[in-house]
């Protein structure tokens, strides 16, 4: 069932498109109907991790003429941070696939093709 806000919005769009009061306010260049496909975009990856560890490592390299042997502790710290971040990302992706309730674009397109929208304007 449509919410009252949706009904009010649809009425406003109908009023703006109608020719009752002379010239319509809106003149759409395409049909006002949803498509049966979703754009195939990649999901948002999130923010960068281990940036501080990386900057500490680069500063150490710069101080020591890019010798790995003198910056071994910073390298180890950076790699442990990367491993923790990868494990957290993997756990989050497994968790989000089950509980988030968000469909991938491919899943949404297949559902929309099974249950297409009516091709009529508002």
């Amino acid at each position: 069932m449509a919410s009252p806000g949706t009904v009010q919005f649809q009425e406003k769009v109908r009023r703006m498109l109608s020719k009752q009061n002379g010239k319509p306010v809106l003149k759409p260049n395409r049909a006002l109907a949803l498509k049966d496909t979703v754009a195939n975009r990649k999901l948002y990856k999130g923010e960068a991790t281990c940036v501080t560890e990386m900057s500490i490592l680069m500063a150490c390299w710069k101080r020591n003429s890019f010798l790995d042997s003198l910056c071994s502790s910073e390298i180890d710290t950076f790699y442990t941070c990367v491993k923790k971040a990868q494990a957290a990302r993997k756990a989050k992706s497994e968790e989000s696939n089950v509980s988030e309730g968000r469909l991938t674009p491919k899943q949404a397109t297949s559902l929309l093709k099974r249950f297409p929208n009516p091709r009529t304007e508002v």
Side-chain angles (χ1 to χ4, degrees):
M1 181 166 189
S3 66
T6 305
V7 173
Q8 290 173 351
F9 177 73
Q10 288 174 346
E11 285 298 321
K12 187 175 182 180
V13 169
R14 269 194 211 104
R15 244 183 294 118
M16 294 176 95
L17 291 173
S18 72
K19 293 183 180 179
Q20 287 178 346
N21 302 331
K23 196 168 147 184
V25 178
L26 292 176
K27 187 175 180 183
N29 56 359
R30 295 184 192 161
L32 295 177
L34 296 175
K35 292 185 178 183
D36 292 332
T37 58
V38 176
N40 195 13
R41 295 185 180 146
K42 292 185 179 180
L43 297 175
Y44 178 66
K45 291 189 178 187
E47 62 183 50
T49 56
C50 304
V51 176
T52 55
E53 288 82 357
M54 188 184 337
S55 62
I56 291 170
L57 174 61
M58 289 184 178
C60 179
W61 275 336
K62 189 173 182 180
R63 275 194 316 269
N64 297 313
S65 301
F66 298 95
L67 295 174
D68 285 343
S69 59
L70 299 175
C71 300
S72 61
S73 64
E74 285 84 358
I75 292 172
D76 292 337
T77 306
F78 176 68
Y79 281 130
T80 55
C81 179
V82 168
K83 285 180 186 176
K84 286 180 187 176
Q86 286 175 342
R89 187 175 344 140
K90 186 175 180 181
K92 185 179 178 186
S93 69
E94 289 173 358
E95 177 185 309
S96 68
N97 287 343
V98 175
S99 65
E100 189 174 325
R102 188 178 177 118
L103 298 174
T104 63
K106 192 172 187 177
Q107 292 170 330
T109 299
S110 67
L111 276 177
L112 285 170
K113 287 191 179 193
R114 281 179 52 200
F115 306 103
N117 291 309
R119 289 287 177 186
T120 59
E121 288 191 23
V122 176

